[in-house]
Amino acid sequence: MNQPLIEVQAVEKAFGETVALASADLTVHSGEFVSIIGQSGCGKSTLLDIISGLVGPDRGDIFLDGQSVLHSTGHAGYMPQQDVLLPWRTIIDNVILPLQIDGTTKKAARKIAQEQLPKFGLEGFGDRYPDALSGGMKQRASFLRTCLTKKKLLLLDEPFGKLDALTRLEMQQWLVKLAHSMSLTILFVTHDIDEALLLSDRIYVMSPRPGRIVKELHVEGERPRSMETLSSPQLQEQKQTLLKMLFDQERS
């Protein structure tokens, strides 16, 4: 395979006496959807913070297209768990923020965003305010804003974790299709094994704190997958492998 788009090498991070990450390594290639799973508190979100440049590691390095981006920001689009939409701005004025920050005029930015609203399931909602939207619709708007950063790499930190079960299923199936149709490169944090198997090309399993990568699993079958494929013998076997690994780590 060609050179990774992003490469994490031996990243370590401690907060005071608490070691969050211990020599974490991973790669993501262009066009891949890669997930990280692990127990709560194992350092998954910290790793995304370091990759994005929001937090500096104590040791290790981050490479984008073979060049170190350690301690720098702006090389990845980052979508946190909360939608963080500004309540005083309409949906379209929320999603154009990255374009405006890059110097695009408001009129031009609105035109670009307006053309994307249907693809993100937001047609007819551009002039609404965030408090008028459901949780799923807010996440769609947040994801569109992340995509409009026009970064090669998108970092998604449990974006559906706070949604109800049915909305979460709907959003997973939506993201499956969108990521495939747009050839997005995504590093995705989740604690949901089914979600990771549905969405991903590869899955990294992190150990309990201090977090390190303990397994890399190539998901069977090509994307995009349907919910029905999760019941296939191959994916059920992979699910059991992941469950056993996570359960065994919790007991150790």
Side-chain angles (χ1 to χ4, degrees), residues 70-115:
L70 198 63
H71 304 299
S72 67
T73 58
H75 52 270
Y78 196 176
M79 181 177 169
Q81 296 178 28
Q82 301 287 353
D83 61 67
V84 295
L85 297 174
L86 302 176
W88 60 89
R89 295 183 69 132
T90 62
I91 293 304
I92 198 161
D93 286 338
N94 262 286
V95 304
I96 65 173
L97 279 170
L99 297 172
Q100 289 185 292
I101 291 170
D102 282 346
T104 306
T105 66
K106 186 174 184 178
K107 181 179 180 180
R110 276 172 154 256
K111 185 176 186 299
I112 293 168
Q114 194 72 46
E115 293 171 352

Side-chain angles (χ1 to χ4, degrees), residues 2-55:
N2 296 330
Q3 175 181 281
L5 174 63
I6 193 80
E7 185 171 7
V8 177
Q9 290 187 355
V11 163
E12 300 181 10
K13 182 66 182 178
F15 298 97
E17 298 297 315
T18 302
V19 180
L21 292 171
S23 196
D25 301 87
L26 63 79
T27 60
V28 182
H29 290 81
S30 182
E32 270 196 309
F33 196 121
V34 175
S35 290
I36 305 171
I37 64 172
Q39 298 176 16
S40 295
C42 72
K44 302 185 298 294
S45 295
T46 298
L47 184 55
L48 287 198
D49 287 342
I50 291 172
I51 293 171
S52 71
L54 295 176
V55 172

